[in-house]
Amino acid sequence: MSISISFELSDSDLDHFREVIKAAAQNASKYTEDEILTKAAATCKEMENADLPSFVSERVESLEVLMAAVKDEEWQMPEEERQDILTSLAYFVDPEDMVPDHIPGLGYLDDAIMIELVIQDMSLDLSAYREFCSFRSTEEKRRGAEARVDRESWLAGTRSQIRSSMRKKRQSGTRRRVFGRIM
């Protein structure tokens, strides 16, 4: 028998999580981008191999997509977005975060909350990157994987269109980003 528990984070709760992630980002500033990505990937792998509650495991894939977006040279992520993602990932490199990960059943509760906040905060970025990957895959199938002629031009046009659409969506909404910029 499963049980559903829901709770709402107030603005002050979100402020608390913002402060936690800022502290994690400052602590992680001693790491390079590659070290943050490596540690975040190791944490995701550890989480995948752990006996996690589904409310955590369902969210890990989005972190992996964010890491892939940062690493994807063809996506050419703008520096500001790259830093937002790395700041978000910085929290996950510390196993002794708000609730230590080794505590059975609860150790990843804070991670699940942070992942959810990151997913909400970066939802347009995730959607845009997934759209780009889908386009790239379709074009590779259509043109052939080895079709390098004009590859950058067809990727650049779509990348620009997807980013423009993402910016318009951000500007049309008045939502506040959890981490990073206020939109």
Side-chain angles (χ1 to χ4, degrees):
M1 175 174 94
S2 64
I3 184 171
S4 176
I5 300 172
S6 63
F7 56 92
E8 186 174 316
L9 297 175
S10 68
D11 284 341
S12 64
D13 295 331
L14 291 174
D15 287 342
H16 173 73
F17 277 99
R18 282 186 203 101
E19 291 304 314
V20 168
I21 201 143
K22 281 181 192 174
Q26 289 173 347
N27 185 39
S29 66
K30 61 186 172 192
Y31 299 112
T32 67
E33 178 178 313
D34 286 338
E35 289 171 322
I36 289 173
L37 290 170
T38 299
K39 288 176 181 287
T43 299
C44 284
K45 189 71 162 169
E46 179 183 311
M47 292 169 84
E48 287 172 355
N49 293 330
D51 185 26
L52 296 176
S54 61
F55 67 86
V56 178
S57 60
E58 292 167 359
R59 289 165 173 81
V60 173
E61 182 219 344
S62 292
L63 282 182
E64 292 170 335
V65 172
L66 287 172
M67 289 185 291
V70 169
K71 293 177 186 178
D72 190 335
E73 292 180 17
E74 290 184 323
W75 178 231
Q76 298 179 1
M77 180 176 287
E79 189 58 32
E80 188 175 2
E81 290 172 26
R82 175 183 230 80
Q83 288 309 310
D84 285 349
I85 291 172
L86 289 170
T87 297
S88 299
L89 292 173
Y91 181 81
F92 303 100
V93 303
D94 184 6
E96 296 300 319
D97 45 28
M98 286 178 18
V99 179
D101 294 345
H102 67 273
I103 297 175
L106 296 176
Y108 290 107
L109 177 61
D110 60 319
D111 297 277
I113 293 169
M114 293 302 280
I115 292 170
E116 187 61 31
L117 293 173
V118 168
I119 291 168
Q120 287 182 16
D121 190 45
M122 307 299 287
S123 65
L124 293 175
D125 302 86
L126 280 166
S127 178
Y129 180 64
R130 285 181 172 131
E131 184 178 342
F132 176 78
C133 289
S134 176
F135 170 79
R136 178 173 51 194
S137 177
T138 300
E139 285 299 300
E140 284 174 345
K141 288 175 187 166
R142 188 174 75 81
R143 296 172 187 248
E146 298 302 317
R148 295 289 177 196
V149 177
D150 278 338
R151 179 181 180 91
E152 181 50 35
S153 66
W154 55 263
L155 286 176
T158 297
R159 188 174 43 240
S160 175
Q161 178 184 6
I162 290 170
R163 287 205 178 110
S164 174
S165 174
M166 182 176 66
R167 281 190 288 278
K168 286 178 185 173
K169 288 177 185 175
R170 280 190 181 143
Q171 289 172 351
S172 69
T174 56
R175 68 183 183 89
R176 194 168 97 185
R177 294 204 52 180
V178 177
F179 310 112
R181 305 177 300 271
I182 303 285
M183 297 311 236

